[in-house]
Amino acid sequence: MKPQPSRTPLATLLGTCVLVLTLVVTATALTALVRGPGQGTARTAQGRHWVNTWTGMPQLTEVGNLPPAPFTGEKSVLADTTLRQTVRVTTGGHRLRLRFSNAYGDTPLPLTSVTVALPEGGRAGTGGIVPGSLHRVAFSGRAATVVPVGAQVVSDPVDFELAPGSNLTVTAYTAQGQPDLALTSHPGSRTTSYLVNGDHTEDPDLTGATHVDHWYLLSDVEVLAPAATRAVAVLGDSLTDGRGSTTNGNDRWPDQFFDRLQSRRATSGIAVLNQAAGGNRVLNDGLGPNVLARLDRDVLSRSGVSWLIVFEGVNDIGTAAATPDAQRAVADDLTAAYQQIVVRAHAQGIRVYGATLLPFGGNAYDDGAGVREAARQRVNAWIRGPGHFDAVIDFDRVVRDPADPSRLRAGLQVGDWLHLNPTGYGALAAAVPTDLFGEK
């Protein structure tokens, strides 16, 4: 009998093909899991990622900073209200998305419709928009969304041309409003917003609208940027939030620092995120949660952050008792807190720069006997010490009065001997070495 040809080579070949196909399918599935939803192959190949380009630290709105009547009622706020706001982005892009926060709400926050546009004349704090620039914003493909209690909602990406350092108009309408008075906002906007009843999200101008100098609900703008684009975040208090700066002028020190970065080709792609609030403290809650509590939310979870500037602590010193024991304790606690910030940021690959605290002689924080000033000097000596921060930014040196280092230079402050004017904020911006923001 003629022997039959062996089937082993064919079986082996088929088995190999099945194995290769299985590996290809598995690899494809793993790639999809790593990329996550909405990240297509082309976008990944282009090496782009989402980077925060503007942010406003969420706070619980104090009664005096709630929208005026009729936009605040006895048991609800912003019912049947259109809210138009402008924000100045830092780095630009061709695609953006928004984040709305209900961090301090006790009830869900319904958003009925949202649009983005370019503001009239490119200006901050205007109620008009550039014709033809308006785009509707969706959330998981829907026009409306609800922000759960304590949460935030991220919009779908919007194709939108956004130049670096430009202003963006965001208009939101909520038919129901928030059914309580626990509203999330950033009161220290130094930027004019507009309120009007009814849905006017597509109107070219909000004629007859009520003006308020606060931001509400909106917490972040992100852009899809090249892989090399990164951000520097700033933790601060009212000196970084811009008290004493010009309303609608965008001349806080982080704004002026961003302008410097933009003027240099090597740093022109860096975003600046101002995570500051008036009255904020490092160790204890005040206007907003303390820095140690908000570090993850405001810095470590933000998109694309590579550097962090810590410029905060004067309110901790100023609100502690003016006794040697109390001030010694607060100085020790501040330096321990700074160490915690560095450790936690380094774990995320973020470099941390410490900024020295400014003098407050002549302000209400000045106790006359110099006890708080001694604590400030002690904290600043630690900040300047080697091995604590990755670098030091000596703000104190550039704005203190050479004739009396416990006080600010008179021409740089607004009259309260604590907060700076736009020229003073410019001095801070000029003191930040731009070479700190090169390759890591």
Side-chain angles (χ1 to χ4, degrees):
M1 181 181 290
K2 187 176 180 180
Q4 295 294 317
S6 172
R7 296 180 182 272
T8 303
L10 179 58
T12 302
L13 179 60
L14 288 173
T16 302
C17 290
V18 170
L19 177 61
V20 170
L21 181 60
T22 301
L23 289 173
V24 170
V25 172
T26 302
T28 302
L30 286 173
T31 301
L33 285 172
V34 170
R35 287 176 182 155
Q39 292 183 297
T41 303
R43 190 180 303 165
T44 302
Q46 293 171 358
R48 293 181 174 272
H49 67 153
W50 289 101
V51 176
N52 270 73
T53 184
W54 173 87
T55 189
M57 176 189 149
Q59 298 173 243
L60 176 63
T61 311
E62 299 172 288
V63 172
N65 290 324
L66 285 168
F71 307 103
T72 295
E74 291 185 6
K75 296 181 179 179
S76 67
V77 62
L78 297 179
D80 187 31
T81 298
T82 293
L83 167 66
R84 177 163 287 177
Q85 311 180 95
T86 63
V87 298
R88 189 199 189 205
V89 303
T90 49
T91 192
H94 307 295
R95 175 171 281 195
L96 65 81
R97 63 188 186 189
L98 310 176
R99 292 177 183 252
F100 288 88
S101 176
N102 193 21
Y104 298 98
D106 294 330
T107 56
L109 168 67
L111 296 173
T112 309
S113 59
V114 176
T115 62
V116 291
L118 295 175
E120 183 179 27
R123 302 190 308 272
T126 180
I129 61 173
V130 174
S133 69
L134 185 138
H135 289 65
R136 287 211 153 271
V137 179
F139 302 85
S140 300
R142 299 176 294 180
T145 190
V146 175
V147 190
V149 173
Q152 64 174 226
V153 164
V154 184
S155 78
D156 297 344
V158 180
D159 291 329
F160 194 96
E161 293 295 325
L162 200 56
S166 62
N167 288 294
L168 173 71
T169 296
V170 179
T171 309
Y173 171 67
T174 172
Q176 179 184 353
Q178 186 137 24
D180 68 5
L181 301 184
L183 187 69
T184 301
S185 69
H186 188 89
S189 66
R190 276 87 201 177
T191 306
T192 304
S193 300
Y194 296 81
L195 299 163
V196 63
N197 286 129
D199 185 353
H200 298 275
T201 51
E202 296 189 10
D203 286 15
D205 200 354
L206 296 189
T207 304
T210 297
H211 302 182
V212 291
D213 291 338
H214 308 301
W215 286 315
Y216 300 108
L217 312 181
L218 183 67
S219 62
D220 296 273
V221 179
E222 297 172 291
V223 291
L224 189 63
T229 305
R230 290 175 287 169
V232 50
V234 184
L235 284 172
D237 48 38
S238 56
L239 286 161
T240 299
D241 205 29
R243 182 170 176 180
S245 63
T246 308
T247 299
N248 299 320
N250 286 315
D251 52 15
R252 312 164 190 85
W253 79 258
D255 296 306
Q256 298 188 58
F257 169 55
F258 168 74
D259 292 336
R260 287 189 62 221
L261 292 177
Q262 275 289 294
S263 69
R264 299 175 68 250
R265 182 175 180 180
T267 57
S268 61
I270 295 175
V272 177
L273 306 180
N274 187 340
Q275 293 287 32
N280 197 240
R281 291 183 286 180
V282 175
L283 303 170
N284 297 294
D285 292 352
L287 294 182
N290 67 79
V291 165
L292 294 179
R294 68 184 180 93
L295 181 65
D296 289 275
R297 183 195 73 180
D298 292 347
V299 177
L300 304 186
S301 66
R302 299 272 66 79
S303 306
V305 173
S306 289
W307 305 277
L308 168 62
I309 298 173
V310 180
F311 178 40
E312 191 160 355
V314 70
N315 289 325
D316 296 83
I317 293 171
T319 56
T323 65
D325 287 347
Q327 289 299 313
R328 189 178 303 109
V330 77
D332 289 343
D333 289 346
L334 276 173
T335 58
Y338 295 151
Q339 289 174 301
Q340 286 289 307
I341 294 168
V342 171
V343 168
R344 289 164 61 185
H346 280 179
Q348 300 296 321
I350 298 171
R351 295 180 64 83
V352 187
Y353 304 144
T356 51
L357 306 182
L358 306 191
F360 45 75
N363 180 263
Y365 283 169
D366 183 358
D367 57 274
V371 178
R372 291 193 177 111
E373 170 63 12
R376 184 185 75 89
Q377 294 286 0
R378 183 177 178 185
V379 170
N380 279 351
W382 187 93
I383 292 172
R384 295 185 180 106
H388 296 151
F389 286 102
D390 294 307
V392 177
I393 302 169
D394 205 342
F395 283 162
D396 169 52
R397 181 179 59 82
V398 300
V399 298
R400 70 192 180 200
D401 185 345
D404 184 357
S406 70
R407 299 171 74 95
L408 295 166
R409 288 163 53 191
L412 300 182
Q413 54 90 36
V414 295
D416 65 0
W417 298 97
L418 178 64
H419 298 98
L420 301 177
N421 57 31
T423 302
Y425 287 131
L428 297 188
V432 184
T434 55
D435 60 5
L436 294 177
F437 305 93
E439 293 298 322
K440 292 173 60 180

